[in-house]
Amino acid sequence: MEHKEPEIQFDDETIDFESPEVSDTGHKQNLKPRKDKQYKDFMVKLKDFYRRNAIWLTIVFIILSVPVLLWLFLLFTNLWTHHGDTTTVPAIKGMQYEQAINALDEANLMAVISDSIYDSRQRGGTIVEVYPKAGAVVKGGREVYLTIVAFSPRTVIIDFPLTDISLKQAENYLSARGISSVKIEYVPSEYDNIVVSAKVNGKPIGMGSKVQANATVVLEIGQSVKALDAYIDEQVDSIFASDPSEVSGITANPDSIN
């Protein structure tokens, strides 16, 4: 005989006590609306709580944010300034530029060429000055300034007229442009102490002329005839002032005269 579960009937409705078969998919679908409703209720309560305590919550948030922001600032500063990361400047003076770069890289330092000079007695690319000096303890990653020997003399472009100006003005301009070798020659002129002409290697120097920094610039300085005569007399007097018997480097010996 086939066994059946008991049934109870209330007002023409029948309740079956047999457990309904619900699939996993159906179970999840039944739970999803319930979770959504709980989440919405929670958000409503949270917003309501914030509206009622907005001022105090803002104050608490600021108080908690200050130490966090301070910690982040200190962390960033330490990373930016290489705090605690030190190194020693190696002895690179006298090295070639490529060797110096490698030595500085190994010491976690960066090379910057701050100046160059021309010296015919030294090989081009040689390090002649270093700052900071060798042996200095510095932070890692800092710049080390180098002065090297140029491979060729620096070329100066003359952008200022060197004639019809005073000797002092011409000397100051050439010195500021790095030209230190200046030869003075005096020539007759209507005006005193005025540059009549400027030459290098026998060629006149004008606006836009290119002059090597190690070249000798000849400045012809004007002097009036009277001033020039006085200058010549002064030079002659200085020759005979020390020993009247010396003329043009020849010393007259009275004992040798018969």
Side-chain angles (χ1 to χ4, degrees):
M1 178 182 288
E2 184 179 354
H3 177 73
K4 292 184 179 181
E5 293 291 338
E7 295 182 356
I8 302 176
Q9 186 172 0
F10 296 97
D11 300 333
D12 299 332
E13 292 183 1
T14 303
I15 300 176
D16 190 355
F17 287 94
E18 185 177 0
S19 299
E21 295 182 0
V22 180
S23 63
D24 293 338
T25 303
H27 182 68
K28 292 179 180 180
Q29 291 176 349
N30 292 335
L31 292 178
K32 185 175 180 181
R34 182 180 301 177
K35 290 183 178 180
D36 290 342
K37 185 176 184 304
Q38 292 176 349
Y39 174 76
K40 291 179 180 179
D41 292 341
F42 172 77
M43 293 303 297
V44 170
K45 293 179 181 179
L46 182 62
K47 291 178 180 179
D48 182 63
F49 176 78
Y50 178 77
R51 281 194 297 267
R52 287 186 286 105
N53 304 276
I55 297 177
W56 290 108
L57 289 175
T58 303
I59 295 174
V60 172
F61 176 77
I62 293 174
I63 294 174
L64 295 178
S65 299
V66 169
V68 175
L69 293 175
L70 181 62
W71 177 79
L72 292 175
F73 173 76
L74 294 176
L75 178 63
F76 174 77
T77 303
N78 290 338
L79 294 176
W80 180 262
T81 60
H82 301 278
H83 181 70
D85 180 15
T86 60
T87 184
T88 303
V89 178
I92 58 175
K93 187 175 180 178
M95 289 185 179
Q96 284 293 296
Y97 179 71
E98 293 79 7
Q99 296 174 325
I101 289 295
N102 293 333
L104 292 174
D105 284 342
E106 293 178 359
N108 190 25
L109 297 170
M110 296 187 298
V112 176
I113 298 177
S114 60
D115 196 8
S116 63
I117 60 173
Y118 178 75
D119 189 347
S120 59
R121 299 167 298 177
Q122 299 191 61
R123 181 182 174 188
T126 303
I127 308 297
V128 292
E129 289 293 338
V130 181
Y131 181 81
K133 300 293 184 181
V137 178
V138 298
K139 291 182 179 180
R142 79 156 287 170
E143 297 177 341
V144 176
Y145 300 97
L146 309 177
T147 301
I148 68 171
V149 177
F151 290 90
S152 60
R154 184 169 59 89
T155 300
V156 176
I157 299 178
I158 304 300
D159 56 1
F160 186 81
L162 292 178
T163 56
D164 297 327
I165 61 175
S166 67
L167 172 60
K168 189 66 175 178
Q169 287 177 309
E171 288 180 328
N172 289 340
Y173 172 78
L174 293 174
S175 177
R177 303 293 289 172
I179 300 175
S180 57
S181 180
V182 179
K183 182 180 179 181
I184 307 300
E185 293 182 356
Y186 290 95
V187 296
S189 175
E190 184 179 356
Y191 302 101
D192 292 336
N193 203 36
I194 296 297
V195 180
V196 177
S197 69
K199 299 179 181 180
V200 61
N201 297 327
K203 298 180 180 180
I205 300 176
M207 291 283 289
S209 297
K210 295 181 179 180
V211 180
Q212 291 185 340
N214 65 332
T216 299
V217 175
V218 178
L219 297 178
E220 292 185 347
I221 307 303
Q223 278 194 333
S224 65
V225 175
K226 291 182 179 180
L228 191 59
D229 290 340
Y231 173 78
I232 294 174
D233 292 339
E234 182 181 349
Q235 296 299 316
V236 172
D237 291 341
S238 66
I239 293 175
F240 288 99
S242 58
D243 189 350
S245 62
E246 295 182 359
V247 179
S248 300
I250 302 175
T251 303
N253 186 357
D255 296 336
S256 62
I257 302 177
N258 295 327

